């Protein structure tokens, strides 16, 4: 079968890094690229508790682009095994299931929870974090009966959604009701990332929240807040008009455009009834601000903004994928006693008096008509057009791009 794989070696990494700095397309198009479209064998079922899934759609995520453009921190490398087929966002149908698999059948439409934690890896007893439902913080993502990998799409044994087939442990598989179409299905995973951030850092009805970034995750944060019927005020920072339109459609109250030509700092501050103060030199700061800031970009500018636009005693939730950030001024964390919280993927949430998997809550909210994410899909490509697909995903303004999906 055809699959888009990432295979890292030190010489290849060094050449790609040097050439990519001159022309970013060379991260994908160079013969020295770590990324290749290959003919590979279908991934094998590791044991009788796994199923094979035929992929209908596989999404391109910001973390995938971060990897391909070699921006990832080497700190994550112990939790990856090469070569791996990329893709952790998916919707598909079960194509093979062993007799030990219960409650799942061939032909069933499904999505997966891609985290490869203790239960998936056959580790017993499970680690303390998995026992508490925080399996996104599993201690053993490089142990057990499969190769290292945080997620499906980073493990050489599981395959990924940028291929025709992948395999998943039965505990990872979530059935889709008929009321959730395939377009919404492939967006369950990114929506769950946003939903986890909101459920773990839930705004009060009286709060003003600031969403930095109006890409897929930023829009999904807005959608999650409104699907949970939280009537807080949402202010959103958008870079492009098409993003602003979607932010408004999904429930943002105010949109401020990020622009070098206009003073967006004052515009944001006015939304919070805050004051802009000017230091002796350097960028302006904001006195007052949002109760909660959801940072959904992960670069130096967005992180700096997340700290200066939070009120005294406020909270900053980091969802955007950050790596090395040079010259980040953290004065406001100290001066305003900010609470800064990371948010990684999803897990088990407190939900209606019990515990429930974030991805299942996401499916249920879509099935109940609380949210329709399908407008976020703007482009579809076959695997063979992966260079064009990645260029489209990386250049949002040119293609008015939100979510790009592969149709393997």
């Amino acid at each position: 079968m055809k699959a888009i794989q990432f295979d890292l070696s030190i010489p290849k990494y060094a050449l790609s890094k040097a050439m990519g700095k001159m022309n970013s397309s060379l991260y994908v198009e160079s013969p020295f690229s770590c990324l290749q479209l290959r003919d590979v064998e279908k991934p094998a079922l590791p044991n009788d508790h796994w199923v094979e899934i035929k992929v209908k759609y596989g999404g391109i995520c910001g973390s995938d682009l971060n990897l391909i453009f070699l921006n990832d921190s080497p700190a994550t490398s112990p939790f990856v095994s090469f070569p791996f087929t990329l893709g952790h966002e998916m919707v598909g149908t079960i194509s093979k299931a062993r007799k030990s698999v219960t409650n799942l059948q061939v032909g069933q439409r499904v999505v997966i929870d891609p985290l490869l934690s203790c239960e998936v890896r056959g580790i017993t007893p499970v680690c303390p974090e998995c026992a508490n439902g925080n399996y996104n913080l599993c201690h053993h993502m490089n142990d057990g009966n499969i190769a290292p990998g945080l997620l499906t799409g980073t493990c050489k044994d599981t395959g990924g959604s940028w291929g025709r087939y992948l395999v998943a442990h039965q505990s990872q598989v979530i059935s889709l009701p008929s009321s959730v179409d395939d377009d919404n299905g492939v967006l369950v995973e990114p929506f769950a990332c946003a939903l986890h951030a909101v459920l773990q850092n839930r705004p009060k009805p009286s709060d003003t929240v600031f969403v930095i970034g109006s890409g897929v995750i930023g829009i999904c944060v807005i959608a999650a807040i409104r699907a949970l019927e939280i009537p807080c005020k949402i202010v959103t920072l958008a870079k492009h008009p098409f993003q602003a339109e979607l932010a408004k459609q999904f429930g943002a109250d105010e949109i401020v455009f990020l622009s070098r030509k206009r003073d967006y700092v004052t515009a944001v501050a006015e939304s919070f009834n805050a004051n802009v103060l000017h230091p002796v030199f350097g960028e302006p700061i904001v006195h007052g601000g949002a109760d909660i800031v959801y940072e959904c970009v992960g670069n130096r500018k967005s992180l700096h903004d997340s700290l200066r636009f939070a009120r005294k005693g406020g909270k900053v939730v980091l969802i955007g994928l950050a790596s090395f950030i040079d010259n980040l001024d953290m004065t406001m964390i100290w001066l305003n006693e900010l609470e800064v919280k990371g948010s990684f993927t999803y897990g088990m949430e407190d939900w209606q008096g019990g515990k429930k998997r974030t991805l299942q809550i996401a499916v249920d909210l879509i099935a109940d008509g609380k949210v329709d994410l399908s407008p976020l899909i703007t482009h579809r490509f076959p695997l063979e057009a992966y260079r064009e697909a990645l260029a489209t995903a990386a250049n949002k303004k040119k293609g008015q791009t939100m979510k790009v999906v592969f149709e393997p």
Side-chain angles (χ1 to χ4, degrees):
M1 70 173 192
K2 297 286 187 183
I4 302 170
Q5 292 201 321
F6 190 89
D7 194 5
L8 183 68
S9 68
I10 298 301
K12 190 181 289 187
Y13 176 89
L15 280 168
S16 293
K17 191 78 171 176
M19 296 173 69
K21 286 182 178 179
M22 296 183 289
N23 184 343
S24 61
S25 68
L26 295 177
Y27 286 118
V28 176
E29 297 178 2
S30 163
F32 304 107
S33 172
C34 298
L35 194 73
Q36 301 289 335
L37 177 65
R38 294 171 168 167
D39 287 306
V40 300
E41 296 293 326
K42 290 196 300 183
L45 296 172
N47 57 50
D48 286 346
H49 300 287
W50 288 64
V51 300
E52 178 188 87
I53 299 172
K54 184 178 182 181
V55 178
K56 174 68 178 293
Y57 294 135
I60 298 177
C61 174
S63 62
D64 299 322
L65 296 176
N66 213 52
L67 169 74
I68 291 164
F69 295 128
L70 304 182
N71 291 323
D72 273 354
S73 165
T76 61
S77 61
F79 306 104
V80 174
S81 49
F82 303 102
F84 60 83
T85 301
L86 286 97
H88 56 274
E89 301 175 355
M90 62 79 63
V91 61
T93 56
I94 295 176
S95 50
K96 185 185 297 184
R98 295 277 176 84
K99 291 182 180 180
S100 297
V101 173
T102 57
N103 301 319
L104 296 172
Q105 298 177 345
V106 171
Q108 197 168 350
R109 291 173 61 249
V110 296
V111 296
I112 63 166
D113 183 331
L115 285 167
L116 303 175
S117 50
C118 283
E119 184 176 6
V120 176
R121 296 178 169 278
I123 294 172
T124 54
V126 300
C127 73
E129 293 293 353
C130 285
N132 288 329
N134 303 319
Y135 58 89
N136 57 326
L137 305 178
C138 175
H139 295 182
H140 297 296
M141 288 179 173
N142 57 349
D143 299 321
N145 56 23
I146 57 173
L150 288 171
L151 304 157
T152 302
T154 63
C155 171
K156 68 180 183 180
D157 292 337
T158 62
S161 64
W162 297 12
R164 187 62 167 165
Y165 293 89
L166 58 79
V167 295
H169 189 270
Q170 62 180 343
S171 66
Q172 294 179 271
V173 181
I174 298 172
S175 179
L176 287 184
S178 58
S179 54
V180 178
D181 62 18
D182 290 336
D183 285 3
N184 274 281
V186 75
L187 288 161
V188 164
E189 193 277 343
F191 181 56
C193 287
L195 186 61
H196 175 69
V198 173
L199 288 170
Q200 294 289 313
N201 307 277
R202 192 181 184 113
K204 298 189 292 292
S206 59
D207 280 348
T208 295
V209 306
F210 186 36
V211 179
I212 296 179
S214 295
V216 170
I217 293 298
I219 298 298
C220 282
V221 167
I222 299 168
I225 292 170
R226 295 310 187 215
L228 295 171
E229 299 179 348
I230 303 171
C232 61
K233 178 181 177 180
I234 301 175
V235 180
T236 304
L237 190 63
K239 194 172 184 180
H240 307 299
F242 69 92
Q243 295 175 328
E245 290 175 13
L246 283 167
K248 197 73 174 177
Q249 178 181 332
F250 279 90
D253 296 296
E254 295 182 25
I255 289 83
V256 177
F257 281 98
L258 176 63
S259 173
R260 293 179 182 177
K261 297 178 181 179
R262 288 177 288 184
D263 180 12
Y264 77 94
V265 175
T266 298
V268 173
E270 288 175 353
S271 295
F272 305 139
N273 294 317
N275 297 315
V276 178
L277 305 178
H278 296 275
V280 175
F281 57 85
E283 296 187 50
I285 64 170
V286 175
H287 191 59
D291 298 287
I292 303 177
V293 178
Y294 296 98
E295 197 287 307
C296 306
V297 181
N299 61 32
R300 180 188 174 278
K301 186 174 188 61
S302 63
L303 288 166
H304 175 65
D305 281 345
S306 71
L307 300 179
R308 67 172 165 177
F309 287 127
R311 66 164 172 81
K312 289 182 178 293
K315 178 184 279 191
V316 174
V317 183
L318 303 179
I319 313 172
L321 184 66
S323 184
F324 298 105
I325 304 296
D326 295 328
N327 301 317
L328 180 64
D329 186 350
M330 297 192 287
T331 301
M332 292 303 158
I333 298 176
W334 160 75
L335 185 63
N336 289 338
E337 291 197 352
L338 300 181
E339 179 182 354
V340 180
K341 182 78 180 293
S343 183
F344 174 61
T345 62
Y346 20 75
M348 300 292 288
E349 313 289 352
D350 294 321
W351 184 254
Q352 297 178 348
K355 289 278 190 180
K356 201 168 192 177
R357 189 190 294 258
T358 322
L359 278 97
Q360 185 62 64
I361 298 171
V363 169
D364 293 346
L365 289 171
I366 296 168
D368 291 343
K370 299 291 186 181
V371 61
D372 175 14
L373 301 168
S374 60
L376 297 182
I377 298 180
T378 54
H379 298 80
R380 305 168 198 263
F381 292 92
L383 292 177
E384 290 77 7
Y386 74 98
R387 293 184 178 92
E388 183 183 356
L390 294 172
T392 301
N395 193 336
K396 293 179 171 59
K397 180 179 180 180
K398 183 178 179 181
Q400 296 195 3
T401 305
M402 291 299 290
K403 176 58 66 178
V404 180
V405 300
F406 286 115
E407 299 181 273

